[in-house]
Amino acid sequence: MKDFNLEEYKNTKINKKIRAFIEYLYEKFGVSDDDGEFDNEYFSLLSVDDLIESLNYYIENYPVNAQITGDNYISFVTRFFKMLMDDYEIKNEIFMDIGLKNQFFIKAKKIISSLKETENKSCATDEQYEKLNEGINDFLRNNFSVDTIYDGIQNYNDGFKAGAIKKPKNYYRFVSIIPIKLIMKFALGNSIVISLKLEDLDIENGVLTIDSAIRLPLDEELIGLLKMYLEIRKYVLSFCTAQESKLFIKYNGEPYSNKEYDVFFKIMKDCIGTQSADLFVIRRISELLDKGLDMFTIARLSDKSNEMCMKLLEDNNSNTMVNAKIEKIFNDRTINEKFRVKKKGYLECPYCGNNVEAISEEWVLVQFKKDGKKHLACKKCRGENEEFSIQNI
């Protein structure tokens, strides 16, 4: 039977939920691309709490709003372990013991119940969110080239002079990625994004100013995309006699109008069949309200009414949602552990979790047979049930 190779598997076309699970595995076990193959023994070591932690990782990092998406994650992870067992004889006790499996499902259900029961039709679904992000990433990896865009702009201007217009391939697709990412990050309204001026962007300090007052910090990804765009923008305007104050311009140097959402959000139309960026504005508003950003600031960013923001805030704070969040915060052991109080001068043993005084008399070096490396463990547990040999300190 062929050995399972997680490194090769993650490079195939796998579902986004399994990709998130694999990201969690690499992070949990401290494995990077430089470390070589992932040790399949780790699959057997995963506990119920580990799988629950992976669910929280998926919800927080992607992000997930709907119960159905959380349920789908559990289904995909369950099928993944079934595949490991059936095709590669890699087993985990959780999926072989009815009691443990039910324990896993019950804990997962408690967390998933804190998500929305149904997805609002005026709000982008988790699947739309994932599909759009995947489409953008695929385009930037496989179809995007600055030189190709430059060539397209040159051909357009040459053709325009000759009376034969040749539209630059992929120009609208690339430019549309930036406003979409601004909307997904800051919940900016369509009209606000399309009206941005060049002077609103401080690329050196990574800041975008809205309404001459609100300073939005840009992440590295947005800064990188904007730097590329600014060079392309400069090239476009080199063919024009007039300069343009608007930040986003078309390949002929003209600004986008408020009715040109089909090209302003071009890649969205390509990926999910709609250019309604409002779907992602509403989604992000709900997330920002949940994170504690005040309603009036959100209304200014999104160009939505205070009444609409209030309605979304009420939806986010229904009794069912509030009670589910409270139960998750105060009953979830994995979350409580993150806030464990640590005493000064003490270290936490990686094998038993006890806080032990950081002096040599309380610690030993243990060497595990499986890797031959020497590890620190407290004298009380000595590495628990692992097979090891004690080395003198």
Side-chain angles (χ1 to χ4, degrees), residues 216-233:
L216 301 177
L218 303 171
D219 56 33
E220 290 184 8
E221 181 188 35
L222 272 168
I223 291 173
L225 289 170
L226 280 162
K227 282 182 176 179
M228 283 191 288
Y229 167 67
L230 289 177
E231 290 301 314
I232 294 170
R233 184 183 187 278

Side-chain angles (χ1 to χ4, degrees), residues 35-48:
D35 294 331
E37 292 185 3
F38 185 90
D39 191 340
N40 288 336
E41 186 180 348
Y42 291 147
F43 291 119
S44 301
L45 299 176
L46 289 167
S47 67
V48 168

Side-chain angles (χ1 to χ4, degrees), residues 349 351-356 361-364 377-384 388:
C349 176
Y351 300 103
C352 66
N354 288 324
N355 284 325
V356 180
E361 288 81 2
E362 298 295 333
W363 296 84
V364 293
C378 71
K379 281 188 175 179
K380 184 176 180 180
C381 77
R382 293 176 172 265
E384 290 195 323
F388 60 86

